[in-house]
Amino acid sequence: MTTTVLLIIIAAAVVILGAGIGLVMSRGRAELPPPADLQEITDEVIHHPERPEPHLEDEDVPGPPTAVDTLERPEAPQGRLVRLRARLAKSQGSLGKGLLAVLGRSTLDEAAWEEIEDTLLAADVGVTATDELVQNLRTKLRVEGITDPQLAKAALREELVRLVDPTLDRTLRSTGADDKPGVVLVVGVNGTGKTTTVGRLARVLVAEEQTVVLGAADTFRAAAADQLQTWGERVGVPTVRGPEGGDPASVGFEAVQRGIADETDVVLVDTAGRLHTKSGLMDELGKVKRVIEKQAPVTEVLLVIDATTGQNGLTQARVFGEVVDVTGIVLTKLDGTAKGGIVIAVQRELGVPVKFVGLGEGEDDLAPFDAEEFVDALLS
């Protein structure tokens, strides 16, 4: 062996030995390993460079990286219906109990029927619907000679289901045509839970394995865009947003453009909802819809109404319906002090169905509306 080769080997050994010592010291050990161990490491590296680098005993060897799924898995919409009756029964019990208490009496005089009317009106069923229900129920009980409370309850259920109307098409129109995404425009007054509804609806669609793009067109509130983006990030859905105070129609346009480019299934567009009685904002809302439809038709316009607002909710429904051709209703806050009769009243006001109901504060507390489940909850 020549002197030059020997010097190279010695230099390599010194470098490797120094690296080994540095590694051990970096681990915070109080004492160095025995010299024999270090020598064994050095010999291994020098004579067998083709082998993996050896590790000291007790050294933490990093394993393969573990993929961490940071995305939430939304609950399937079908599973949410299981909670519908329990939630509504708890909050709406006063309506059902009030009606059934009267119908359970041995005789139903005029005072009793007036009490039934008052109970229905207090639940925001509406004057016309209340008159219709009471007249039909009185006739049915008289003609069929029903006196048994259970049969009277069954008759009441039948009339309520008829008023809520299970024949209405409550499916979400989320499918576009010509390979374009479905476009769902969500409107409503700020404070009704509109932005939260958009986020929850995104979770419903993701649970159904549909791809989604969110459009934060409520540019008057930076918090709304931030909130919507957070909802999207939780389930891996992108959000298109613009500068605060920017053009809402531009954001809606870009969101649909993004949806087309990404071959997305559905684009959900949140809109501004402040000062709904001001013509300027309503004109802006109409503009958003017109600009969006330069690229793809709006397949659904959902109006979000706070179920606790009663007649104010009906006024909102009337105003928005005149501007953007509402195709479906989302009733929020049905788990609180809501009055279930608003379902009947708002459907009659707009002639469009309630499609979703908000049942609570959880991420997945948005459920597809089911007429019979709803009525059964009222009468639980």
Side-chain angles (χ1 to χ4, degrees):
M1 183 180 296
T2 65
T3 303
T4 302
V5 174
L6 182 59
L7 289 175
I8 292 175
I9 293 174
I10 292 173
V14 170
V15 170
I16 294 171
L17 181 61
I21 293 172
L23 177 63
V24 174
M25 292 182 66
S26 67
R27 295 167 59 232
R29 295 176 66 94
E31 297 179 359
L32 291 176
D37 291 348
L38 293 178
Q39 184 61 46
E40 182 179 349
I41 293 173
T42 302
D43 291 342
E44 179 75 10
V45 174
I46 292 175
H47 297 300
H48 300 285
E50 76 284 357
R51 297 179 182 175
E53 181 180 349
H55 295 275
L56 298 176
E57 185 179 358
D58 298 329
E59 183 177 349
D60 294 329
V61 182
T66 303
V68 179
D69 184 8
T70 59
L71 300 181
E72 297 179 7
R73 298 179 182 275
E75 177 188 348
Q78 292 76 10
R80 303 173 192 188
L81 292 177
V82 176
R83 301 198 303 269
L84 179 60
R85 180 178 296 192
R87 290 285 179 87
L88 292 180
K90 181 178 180 180
S91 61
Q92 312 287 348
S94 58
L95 171 59
K97 290 176 182 177
L99 293 175
L100 295 176
V102 178
L103 289 175
R105 296 174 184 173
S106 56
T107 57
L108 293 176
D109 54 15
E110 286 301 319
W113 286 110
E114 289 180 5
E115 190 173 341
I116 290 175
E117 288 181 355
D118 291 342
T119 301
L120 291 168
L121 291 172
D124 288 331
V125 172
V127 175
T128 302
T130 294
D131 289 343
E132 183 179 327
L133 186 150
V134 170
Q135 290 301 322
N136 289 344
L137 187 59
R138 291 186 70 166
T139 300
K140 187 177 185 65
L141 295 186
R142 184 177 66 253
V143 170
E144 299 184 12
I146 296 174
T147 57
D148 181 84
Q150 291 303 316
L151 294 178
K153 176 181 177 180
L156 172 62
R157 178 187 184 278
E158 182 180 333
E159 288 301 318
L160 284 172
V161 169
R162 186 185 58 79
L163 286 177
V164 177
D165 196 352
T167 66
L168 293 175
D169 182 8
R170 302 181 191 276
T171 57
L172 181 69
R173 302 173 188 170
S174 60
T175 303
D178 301 326
D179 296 325
K180 292 183 178 180
V183 180
V184 179
L185 198 64
V186 183
V187 303
V189 176
N190 289 343
T192 59
K194 176 171 51 63
T195 300
T196 297
T197 295
V198 177
R200 288 175 174 172
L201 188 55
R203 295 177 68 89
V204 169
L205 295 169
V206 169
E208 295 176 344
E209 299 185 354
Q210 297 192 59
T211 54
V212 181
V213 167
L214 300 177
D218 185 357
T219 59
F220 298 107
R221 296 188 304 139
D226 292 340
Q227 181 185 2
L228 194 62
Q229 185 168 344
T230 299
W231 277 102
E233 289 173 348
R234 290 176 178 173
V235 289
V237 170
T239 301
V240 175
R241 55 186 297 177
E244 184 176 0
D247 182 17
S250 175
V251 175
F253 184 90
E254 291 177 8
V256 175
Q257 190 175 56
R258 170 75 177 272
I260 294 173
D262 292 351
E263 298 183 351
T264 302
D265 295 323
V266 190
V267 178
L268 299 178
V269 182
D270 186 20
T271 62
R274 63 187 180 90
L275 301 177
H276 70 284
T277 59
K278 300 299 182 181
S279 60
L281 179 64
M282 302 311 291
D283 290 343
E284 185 66 49
L285 194 57
K287 177 187 173 183
V288 170
K289 187 172 184 288
R290 291 192 303 272
V291 169
I292 285 176
E293 291 192 322
K294 291 181 179 180
Q295 295 191 96
V298 172
T299 55
E300 184 90 66
V301 179
L302 293 178
L303 172 61
V304 180
I305 298 177
D306 181 339
T308 67
T309 57
Q311 292 301 313
N312 286 336
L314 294 181
T315 301
Q316 294 165 20
R318 190 179 305 114
V319 172
F320 280 95
E322 292 172 354
V323 177
V324 287
D325 189 21
V326 173
T327 58
I329 305 293
V330 180
L331 281 175
T332 61
K333 306 181 184 178
L334 276 173
D335 63 320
T337 58
K339 301 174 181 180
I342 190 69
V343 170
I344 298 169
V346 75
Q347 286 186 161
R348 291 200 165 205
E349 178 68 34
L350 290 186
V352 298
V354 172
K355 294 194 172 184
F356 290 90
V357 288
L359 303 176
E361 300 300 325
E363 290 86 351
D364 292 322
D365 278 345
L366 183 71
F369 184 79
D370 182 277
E372 295 196 13
E373 286 280 356
F374 180 77
V375 171
D376 287 340
L378 293 179
L379 300 177
S380 297

